[in-house]
Amino acid sequence: AAGEDMTAALDGVIQLALAQRTAARERKDFAASDAIRDGLSALGITIEDTAQGPRWSITGNGSK
């Protein structure tokens, strides 16, 4: 149960970051959009932009 809670919390945090990234892209603030993507990447989170919206996965390459 604790693992499921952590997964739900992680998904919520990443969805919040992705919403901020989408808002930055809509206002053509590509520096902010790239900074969010790069920050997530540094944590081992890969963002893939799809026709249905951004999708994320854990790559495990981030530093702790």
Side-chain angles (χ1 to χ4, degrees), residues 4 12 16 36 38 40 44 49 64:
E4 291 175 12
L16 179 62
I36 293 167
D38 294 346
L40 289 171
D49 292 314
K64 292 185 180 180

Side-chain angles (χ1 to χ4, degrees), residues 5-63:
D5 289 343
M6 188 63 75
T7 299
L10 177 62
D11 183 58
V13 170
I14 293 173
Q15 292 301 326
L16 179 62
L18 292 178
Q20 293 298 310
R21 181 172 176 258
T22 297
R25 290 172 59 129
E26 288 173 354
R27 67 178 182 269
K28 300 190 185 310
D29 185 352
F30 299 113
S33 172
D34 291 348
I36 293 167
R37 183 201 60 221
D38 294 346
L40 289 171
S41 180
L43 296 171
I45 308 296
T46 299
I47 305 303
E48 178 185 357
D49 292 314
T50 70
Q52 293 77 35
R55 181 172 44 196
W56 66 273
S57 61
I58 297 174
T59 58
N61 293 333
S63 58

